[in-house]
């Protein structure tokens, strides 16, 4: 059976980042994948993606602004008809740089915020960044591009969900992504410090729902319910090898940005095979595609084509078996792992372990 | 009323899926051939009435009032999601 073409390509141009957020989902051993594809290769990948049927190009990282060829790669995407999104911390961006992105054809810029004020935000980021991020968000609007504000929610900032929404609206964002922490990479290491109490989540959800009603037509408020508290897995990447393709800095092509941590896989590199070949014939893209690979209780579950068995990386991280049912599912035999942690005591004060991502190879 | 496509939305032919699509931040709207025919004429110059006239000329088999209703409905739906703006001429 021929797989439908992917809708989106996530191009993680670099794992380097001036910020050191304790919930970063990038691999904690990021240096092992840090040799970066050059612009010529990225531009070829972008063209191949468009040919394959990709419609959205997401230029991300790490911090994509650290690549001075970001504009060239973006322009290649726009010329190929792709909707070009840049996902950035905004750190170090000048007005000229932002205008350059617009000129290169970038449609949409997503700027991350860590909290609602400099003191709190900078404490999470590990660098002084917050005030400049606000300025960058305004520059994005001034340059005529679509603006999203992305905020990762966790125990330390959930109480300010309402303030986050007001701040994003005041910046002129058309879209606000409130994403509860997913426990991958650094976030898995730091989960004891990040995991909220259920009451906090309930309150934040109510605030977000109210804002969705009040701001309808002005700002889209996306609130991602955390799978650890939902008793249902999230349909990770909308299914393995179904809609999304990721290429990480060293050119490895993945069904999801976390999959390089899975053992027993030999993911293909875009320097050796075409994107089309990898998507349609790569063994690792086939491996969890569809429903045939599923164990019980997924195989006979009536939600198997709703959540696609959940997240393979989370299944592996918690059970040691990438093919297991995601423990976030209440039907998983490993669900107690998640239940015990989310109901468990919370340490005070929260201590975040940080990965230094500021120095690396090009 | 002169409808125009908002900057956040881009319409293009999708050869891989054999249909027109409207692209917007984090999303794709698959357009029916009929919707695509309408949106192709949304250029910030033509009035809504002119768009209906053009479609009525090309589809003499369809009653004008049906086309008129369908076009208005589509434009309203797209406007509600911020993909189309309408200005008085």
């Amino acid at each position: 059976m021929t797989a439908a073409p992917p809708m989106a390509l996530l191009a993680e141009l670099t794992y380097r980042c001036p910020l050191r957020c304790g919930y970063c989902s990038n691999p904690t051993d990021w240096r092992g994948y840090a040799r970066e594809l050059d612009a010529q290769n990225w531009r070829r990948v972008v063209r191949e993606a468009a040919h394959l049927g990709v419609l959205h190009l997401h230029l991300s990282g790490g911090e994509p602004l650290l690549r001075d060829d970001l504009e060239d790669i973006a322009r290649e995407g726009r010329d190929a008809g792709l909707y070009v999104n840049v996902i950035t911390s905004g750190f170090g961006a000048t007005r000229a740089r932002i205008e350059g992105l617009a000129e290169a054809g970038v449609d949409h810029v997503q700027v991350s915020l860590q909290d609602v004020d400099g003191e709190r935000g900078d404490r999470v980021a590990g660098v002084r960044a917050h005030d400049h991020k606000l300025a960058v968000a305004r520059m994005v609007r001034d340059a005529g591009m679509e603006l999203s504000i992305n905020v990762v929610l966790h125990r330390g900032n959930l109480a300010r969900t309402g303030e986050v929404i007001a701040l994003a609206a005041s910046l002129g964002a058309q879209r606000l992504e409130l994403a509860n922490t997913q426990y991958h990479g650094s976030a898995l290491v730091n989960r004891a410090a990040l995991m909220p109490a259920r009451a906090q989540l309930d309150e934040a959800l109510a605030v977000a729902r109210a804002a969705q009603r009040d701001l309808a037509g002005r700002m889209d408020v996306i609130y991602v319910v955390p799978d650890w508290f939902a008793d249902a897995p999230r349909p990770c990447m909308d299914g393995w090898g179904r809609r999304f393709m990721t290429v990480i800095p060293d050119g490895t092509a993945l069904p999801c940005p976390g999959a390089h941590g899975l053992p027993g896989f030999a993911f293909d590199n875009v320097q050796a095979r075409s994107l089309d070949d990898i998507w349609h014939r790569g063994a690792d893209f086939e491996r969890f595609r569809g429903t045939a690979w599923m164990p019980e209780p997924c195989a006979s579950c009536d939600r198997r084509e709703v959540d696609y068995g959940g997240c393979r990386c989370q299944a592996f991280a918690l059970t040691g078996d990438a093919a297991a049912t995601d423990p976030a599912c209440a039907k998983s035999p490993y669900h107690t792992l998640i239940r015990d942690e989310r109901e468990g005591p919370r340490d005070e004060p929260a201590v975040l372990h940080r990965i230094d991502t500021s120095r690396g190879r090009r | 009323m002169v409808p125009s496509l908002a900057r956040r939305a881009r319409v293009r032919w999708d050869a891989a899926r054999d249909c027109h699509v409207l692209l917007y931040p984090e999303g794709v709207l698959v357009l029916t051939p009929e919707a695509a025919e309408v949106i192709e004429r949304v250029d910030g110059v033509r009035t809504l009435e002119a768009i209906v006239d053009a479609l009525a000329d090309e589809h003499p088999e369809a009653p004008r009032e049906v086309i008129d209703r369908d076009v208005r409905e589509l434009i309203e739906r797209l406007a509600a999601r911020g993909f189309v703006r309408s200005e008085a001429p």
Side-chain angles (χ1 to χ4, degrees), chain A residues 160-226:
Chain A
R160 287 180 295 287
T161 301
E163 289 172 65
V164 168
I165 294 166
L167 177 58
S170 78
L171 292 169
Q174 290 97 341
R175 204 172 153 278
L176 168 64
E177 211 171 294
L178 297 168
N180 276 287
T181 305
Q182 289 174 355
Y183 300 102
H184 301 286
S186 295
L188 187 65
V189 175
N190 285 320
R191 64 190 185 277
L194 295 166
M195 201 170 299
R198 185 179 289 275
Q200 273 185 297
L201 285 167
D202 291 344
E203 202 174 311
L205 178 63
V207 169
R209 291 274 181 267
Q212 283 168 342
R213 285 192 302 272
D214 297 346
L215 297 171
R218 281 174 48 211
M219 183 171 81
D220 294 333
V221 179
I222 291 94
Y223 182 87
V224 183
V225 176

Side-chain angles (χ1 to χ4, degrees), chain A residues 209-291:
Chain A
R209 291 274 181 267
Q212 283 168 342
R213 285 192 302 272
D214 297 346
L215 297 171
R218 281 174 48 211
M219 183 171 81
D220 294 333
V221 179
I222 291 94
Y223 182 87
V224 183
V225 176
D227 55 350
W228 278 44
F229 287 82
D231 286 335
R234 78 205 133 79
C236 191
M237 307 311 288
D238 274 341
W240 183 276
R242 192 167 159 267
R243 293 164 67 87
F244 297 99
M245 195 169 193
T246 297
V247 177
I248 62 173
D250 72 354
T252 305
L254 302 171
C256 95
H260 41 55
L262 299 174
F265 285 74
F267 289 109
D268 290 296
N269 193 292
V270 296
Q271 293 170 99
R273 291 178 82 173
S274 76
L275 227 51
D276 185 284
D277 197 28
I278 296 172
W279 178 261
H280 288 294
R281 283 168 291 280
D284 293 325
F285 271 83
E286 277 298 319
R287 193 139 149 192
F288 297 127
R289 192 173 259 154
T291 55

Side-chain angles (χ1 to χ4, degrees), chain A residues 335-356:
Chain A
H335 187 57
T336 47
L337 290 175
I338 279 180
R339 215 175 47 208
D340 291 350
E341 290 216 31
R342 77 176 182 216
E343 315 296 344
R346 302 287 187 270
D347 299 334
E348 293 288 352
V351 179
L352 290 178
H353 302 275
R354 296 183 193 284
I355 306 294
D356 183 1

Side-chain angles (χ1 to χ4, degrees), chain A residues 80-91:
Chain A
L82 301 180
Y83 199 92
V84 182
N85 310 269
V86 169
I87 301 153
T88 177
S89 70
F91 191 89

